[in-house]
Each structure stands twice: as structure tokens, then as C-alpha cells.
Amino acid sequence: MNWYLKVLKQYADFKGRARRKEYWMFTLFNIIIFVVLFFMAGTLSSVIASEDLILIPVVLYFFFMLIPLLAVTVRRLHDQNKSGWFYCVSFIPFIGRIWLLILMCTEGTAGPNQYGPDPKNPDTELDEIGTLEV
């Protein structure tokens, strides 16, 4: 949950680097929340006659999470020493999404790169999510 909150704290921060764990934990929590929202919408659709009204929370959550999702994806690309513009690869039909998925699963560049220090550095790893007490 701390990784999810870390991404939300960096809502529109496209600078720096994000490790795989940060990206995938954020993605996991988003999927869980979407499933819960859709389940609730399906349950409420039998009670409320207007189905359009039920999907409003799902659509609002999607638009609220769009910017953090783009930001964490760009930071994930930065971890591999690639520009955030590599995200445009996903617009290539079929192959682009697979390529982006492979990039999201690939380990980042060890050590600092042009986008910042290594987020997987053992000295700052726990500090990154705010659990290290100094």
C-alpha cells in the first residue's frame, strides 16, 4: 500500500526514476480498486434503475488515476535510461503494448543515469517509501 501512496504523492511528477516494484504495486492496487468498483456497480445496478449513474465513480476514478499512471510509467522508463516518449510505442497496434509490457518488466539501469540516482540502492530503498526512521 505504501508504494501506491508513494505514486499518489508524486501525482504529476514525471522526473526521476521508479523501480519495478513501485510500478507493479501501483498497477496491482489499481486493478483491485477497479474490480471492486465494477463489482459494486454491478450490485447496485439491480437496485438503481439508471446504469449510467452507477458507472460515474468508475469513470471518475479512471480519470483521477490517468495522470499518476502516466507519471509512474514515464519514471519506470527513466529507470531504464529511456525517454518518457518511449511510451508512444504503446500506440503501435498489438506489438506496441507487448513491447511496453516487456519494458515495464525489464530491470532498470544499475547505478545513476541521466534521470537520477538508482532507486534500488540499498541505502535509500526503505527511505523511498517513507518507512526508514533516521
Side-chain angles (χ1 to χ4, degrees), residues 4-73:
Y4 179 78
L5 296 174
K6 179 185 183 302
V7 172
L8 290 181
K9 288 177 186 173
Q10 295 178 305
Y11 188 83
D13 184 11
F14 291 86
K15 296 179 179 133
R17 296 168 64 175
R19 53 188 292 195
R20 282 183 294 188
K21 189 173 190 175
E22 178 180 346
Y23 175 82
W24 287 111
M25 292 303 280
F26 179 74
T27 302
L28 174 68
F29 276 98
N30 267 335
I31 290 171
I32 291 170
I33 291 170
F34 268 115
V35 167
V36 167
L37 285 174
F38 274 114
F39 179 74
M40 288 173 42
T43 305
L44 289 175
S45 66
S46 61
V47 178
I48 300 174
S50 175
E51 291 185 16
D52 296 336
L53 198 61
I54 294 170
L55 291 178
I56 289 176
V58 176
V59 172
L60 286 176
Y61 181 76
F62 170 77
F63 283 118
F64 180 72
M65 287 295 132
L66 192 59
I67 293 173
L69 178 63
L70 289 173
V72 75
T73 304

Side-chain angles (χ1 to χ4, degrees), residues 4 73-75 93 99 104-105 108 112 118 124 130-131:
Y4 179 78
T73 304
V74 168
R75 290 195 313 268
W99 190 5
M104 294 298 108
C105 293
D118 188 358
T124 60
T131 58

Side-chain angles (χ1 to χ4, degrees), residues 89-98:
V89 162
S90 67
F91 298 129
I92 300 171
F94 188 66
I95 300 295
R97 300 227 176 176
I98 294 171

Side-chain angles (χ1 to χ4, degrees), residues 112-126:
N113 66 17
Q114 66 180 351
Y115 298 104
D118 188 358
K120 211 170 181 180
N121 183 355
D123 297 333
T124 60
E125 181 178 357
L126 292 177

